[in-house]
Amino acid sequence: MSATITPITMPKWGLSMSEGTVVAWLVDEGAEVRSGMPLLEVETDKINNEIEAAEAGILRRKVAQEGALLPVKALLGVLAPAEVGDAEIDAYVAAYVAPATEDDQGGAAADAYQFVDVAGLRVRYAGRGDLRNGVPVLFIHGFGGDLDNWLFNIDAAGEFLPTLALDLPAHGQSAVRLPGATLADLSAFVLAFLDALGVDRVHLVGHSLGGTIAASMARAAAKRVASLTLIASAGLGDEIDADYLGGFVAASSRRELKPVMERLFADASLVSRQLLDDVLRFKRLDGVGAALTDLAAGLFAGGRQSDQPGRGIADSGIPVQVIWGSADRIIPSRHATAAGAAAKVHVLDGAGHMVQMERAREVNALLVEHLRSSA
Amino acid sequence: MSGTAGGWPQRIDSIAIESSPLDDGLALEDELLARAADGFSGARIWRSRPLLVVSKKYRALADFDKAAAGSERRGMPVRVRRSGGGAVPQGPGILNLSVAWRTSAGALAGSEDIYTTLCALLAQALGLRGTATPSAVLGSFCDGRFNLAVGGRKIAGTAQFWRRAGDGHVVLAHALVLAAIDPVALTAVLNAFEAEAGSPRRYAAGALTSVAVEHATGTLAVAGDDLERGVAERIFDSLLSRSANTVRPRECLPAGGAGKKTTDREDVTCI
């Protein structure tokens, strides 16, 4: 497979999408395209949307016909520079095998999630791709979050590496019990989760609390961590917004939760009713309130971060990338430089704490580049 | 935080009812999209002259042109819209709601929330809360997971169009409401078109209902005898009740000048 040929594939927009119809090609074969340019229009769930070029190149082949209904990850077309010969393009198309998706294994959305028992706790996770086929990328969400926080990011990494995302204990649909409320307890738990899946080594991507867990894992088991991407991460400095943590734990209605959740985003309109309802449903589960209170008290008492394993973590030799939103109101973006001189640091102007959602395209490009360079 | 972000817009800057039937609603939707790209959200409630409107994927059908000519001869010229789904009829007794806005969310983020909100606000508008539910209706035209259905029959359909705008997207959400129709005649026109286009899809008249049928006993309080007008105004009110606007108050009047509609909610600009 030539590295200069870029496949255009059926995207997966949201967890429930399993297939899409090719509505129309928007560029002609032979046309030069820029990164981000719309290439073709696809319909799913009665929604029409455009697929954009991930990279610049020449549209060398339209593989999918207009009107065709195709599964997620099916080859739709091929981008390549002019110097790649037609015969090579033909061979690429002929040899292309769509990477397996969960949907291929006999089910739709239900298969997107799996469960495993770790140290007596049931853990929900989403796995994509064959875990033996490359070093997997493990996504770890933040305080009060769940694996769906990575909805817009998993596919980007999944293009060339297997991916895993879990619900931390007392989060999402994992068991409502903490393995302990210290950072060491949590990072030992996530390492045990990897043991349970037979995964030795991973690329770690952590957001907020998940970032400090990732850094702690790297401290405890450096050989198991191929790279670190710390996004708006805890564990790199003192301050964290105590009002947010307290407000999130205390809120019991939409009215109380909305202003709290709006602190997570630069664009407050992203806090939809659906999002508030999802969070409230989770918070009403028996034991969640107590667990979140314990966790906040153990890690972030009084608005100070008790552990800071991320400070200087890049000096360990592990490739480290730090991504932040300049308008983060939960953890200040000035912590971004604390990982050490060797870390790559990207502060995205105007983005809030949920930068991986708000600016998914830019974050994904940085993530993919870091994974590639760390491979 | 659990879950993901996006969904129905928190505020809609402009809401209006088009008083006269449009030549087609496509120019109106393009204008809404263009303004949405500039950050101005708008909603329009409108009717169209008799048309058969299809999504772009229909153009790939082998005999699309022939079928379009046939439909025009049957009094239903064919137009191609932006949102997805199947063929839909337009004309007397059919109301449309088009809403466009800009979101900083990623592709299709919150699209299900948008569908469920559309269904909920229509159920409220049609006086069918607790009766009408979002669901697929086998055999209905332009079927999807988020029709509004009463007793397993379709009373409204929904669809969306998304396009990148800067770091985010512009979204067009569309709903088509069957206010007062002849299910048999409409279904026949649609089936004739699908057959001529060479598509295997066929529809059943029994899969459809309408506001007129569901409220045959007169339970829907609409202004005067004009059912379409009454339903349009109720959709208007239902939209307004869900829009958390923050701009300064203004008078609200439907487009076209055929009777002003005012509201004590003075924070919505109407055109």
Side-chain angles (χ1 to χ4, degrees):
Chain A
M1 183 189 290
S2 167
T4 56
I5 297 180
T6 305
I8 304 160
T9 58
M10 182 64 76
K12 186 173 177 69
W13 289 316
L15 279 177
S16 63
M17 178 169 172
S18 61
E19 59 188 16
T21 300
V22 175
V23 171
W25 280 94
L26 304 173
V27 292
D28 294 324
E29 272 183 7
E32 196 144 336
V33 301
R34 301 179 310 277
S35 172
M37 193 166 158
L39 295 175
L40 70 166
E41 193 167 319
V42 162
E43 176 179 335
T44 183
D45 211 10
K46 292 178 71 177
I47 307 170
N48 282 25
N49 187 28
E50 293 164 350
I51 295 177
E52 296 142 19
E55 290 172 28
I58 295 168
L59 179 63
R60 298 292 297 276
R61 203 69 94 246
K62 295 179 183 175
V63 177
Q65 301 286 316
E66 293 181 352
L69 176 65
L70 296 165
V72 165
K73 294 191 178 177
L75 185 66
L76 305 179
V78 173
L79 290 175
E83 53 268 28
V84 178
D86 280 340
E88 201 180 333
I89 302 271
D90 290 339
Y92 181 89
V93 172
Y96 188 86
V97 179
T101 68
E102 275 68 26
D103 298 337
D104 296 337
Q105 290 153 20
D111 274 342
Y113 302 122
Q114 292 157 277
F115 290 86
V116 62
D117 282 326
V118 181
L121 298 182
R122 188 171 140 92
V123 175
R124 181 180 75 148
Y125 70 100
R128 292 204 191 150
D130 183 346
L131 295 178
R132 293 155 300 182
N133 187 15
V135 177
V137 184
L138 172 64
F139 291 87
I140 311 174
H141 64 78
F143 181 82
D146 68 15
L147 56 81
D148 280 345
N149 293 172
W150 302 107
L151 193 61
F152 307 133
N153 314 107
I154 286 175
D155 281 344
E159 286 291 313
F160 64 105
L161 286 175
T163 63
L164 284 167
L166 85 164
D167 286 343
L168 289 168
H171 285 78
Q173 292 175 31
S174 288
V176 187
R177 188 152 62 83
L178 290 171
T182 69
L183 191 56
D185 294 330
L186 292 172
S187 69
F189 183 88
V190 179
L191 286 167
F193 163 77
L194 293 176
D195 293 339
L197 296 183
V199 172
D200 181 41
R201 204 155 174 265
V202 283
H203 296 276
L204 288 175
V205 183
H207 174 247
S208 199
L209 168 65
T212 194
I213 292 172
S216 177
M217 290 167 71
R219 293 285 182 198
K223 288 193 176 134
R224 301 186 66 175
V225 179
S227 78
L228 274 175
T229 295
L230 305 177
I231 301 176
S233 181
L236 288 161
D238 279 336
E239 307 92 327
I240 188 163
D241 181 0
D243 290 345
Y244 168 74
L245 294 167
F248 185 88
V249 172
S252 60
S253 67
R254 266 196 216 124
R255 180 188 288 271
E256 289 168 4
L257 188 60
K258 189 158 178 279
V260 177
M261 297 281 295
E262 285 178 350
R263 297 179 70 79
L264 291 169
F265 296 90
D267 175 359
S269 73
L270 287 170
V271 180
S272 65
R273 202 177 164 98
Q274 177 83 52
L275 179 58
L276 293 172
D277 288 347
D278 286 349
V279 171
L280 285 172
R281 198 176 311 119
F282 155 66
K283 279 173 47 68
R284 283 171 188 151
L285 294 175
D286 209 20
V288 163
L292 291 180
T293 303
D294 288 350
L295 202 53
L299 301 177
F300 308 125
R304 315 302 286 183
Q305 302 188 34
S306 58
D307 299 275
Q308 294 163 20
R311 282 188 187 268
I313 187 72
D315 302 338
S316 66
I318 296 171
V320 177
Q321 168 165 257
V322 183
I323 301 173
W324 227 290
S326 71
D328 192 325
R329 288 185 275 181
I330 310 299
I331 305 177
S333 62
R334 64 173 180 279
H335 291 188
T337 53
K344 289 181 271 189
V345 177
H346 307 275
V347 179
L348 304 189
D349 198 33
H353 189 61
M354 302 305 295
V355 59
Q356 81 275 29
M357 279 186 183
E358 290 188 82
R359 303 278 278 274
R361 193 160 59 147
E362 288 155 83
V363 169
N364 290 346
L366 294 169
L367 174 59
V368 165
E369 177 53 35
H370 187 60
L371 293 171
R372 279 197 172 131
S373 67
S374 308
Chain B
M1 42 152 285
S2 303
T4 189
W8 189 257
Q10 289 195 331
R11 50 170 285 171
I12 297 171
D13 296 311
S14 154
I15 308 173
I17 301 169
E18 299 285 338
S19 56
S20 316
L22 303 177
D23 200 32
D24 65 45
L26 309 170
L28 176 78
E29 289 189 330
D30 277 350
E31 189 191 320
L32 284 174
L33 277 168
R35 299 190 70 186
D38 294 331
F40 187 87
S41 51
R44 294 291 179 274
I45 301 152
W46 53 277
R47 295 166 296 160
S48 143
R49 71 182 166 119
L51 288 176
L52 198 155
V53 182
V54 300
S55 66
K56 286 184 199 161
K57 69 183 172 201
Y58 272 73
R59 290 190 303 208
L61 291 172
D63 292 318
F64 174 74
D65 291 337
K66 189 181 113 193
S71 188
E72 179 149 17
R73 278 197 304 277
R74 289 184 288 274
M76 299 277 275
V78 173
R79 294 287 179 276
V80 180
R81 66 172 183 272
R82 290 193 181 276
S83 59
V88 303
Q90 290 285 0
I94 295 172
L95 282 166
N96 296 273
L97 167 64
S98 299
V99 188
W101 68 95
R102 191 173 71 186
T103 172
S104 56
L108 275 58
S111 58
E112 292 196 6
D113 179 48
I114 293 165
Y115 275 135
T116 52
T117 307
L118 260 182
C119 287
L121 80 84
L122 289 175
Q124 179 188 333
L126 303 183
L128 294 169
R129 274 168 90 166
T131 314
T133 51
S135 70
V137 178
L138 206 63
S140 70
F141 64 81
C142 196
D143 193 22
R145 293 191 295 147
F146 297 98
N147 298 303
L148 190 64
V150 184
R153 294 168 190 242
K154 176 173 183 154
I155 196 164
T158 56
Q160 297 176 39
F161 170 72
W162 286 60
R163 184 167 63 194
R164 177 164 290 285
D167 285 331
H169 288 83
V170 285
V171 183
L172 172 71
H174 175 250
L176 178 147
V177 179
L178 302 172
I181 51 147
D182 177 348
V184 174
L186 279 188
T187 303
V189 169
L190 289 165
N191 280 339
F193 171 78
E194 295 279 1
E196 275 188 7
S199 118
R201 231 177 266 113
R202 296 295 179 272
Y203 311 107
L208 306 180
T209 184
S210 66
V211 180
V213 168
E214 296 303 324
H215 289 288
T217 51
T219 49
L220 184 69
V222 299
D225 297 332
D226 187 341
L227 179 72
E228 282 178 35
R229 179 77 198 178
V231 171
E233 298 212 349
R234 289 180 61 108
I235 294 172
F236 183 104
D237 292 338
S238 183
L239 260 177
L240 194 55
S241 72
R242 278 161 200 274
S243 176
N245 291 22
T246 53
V247 294
R248 283 305 301 160
R250 282 278 299 280
E251 184 183 283
C252 229
L253 64 155
K260 284 188 177 181
K261 179 172 181 59
T262 56
T263 171
D264 53 3
R265 279 284 302 278
E266 296 175 319
D267 55 356
V268 175
T269 311
C270 291
I271 297 166

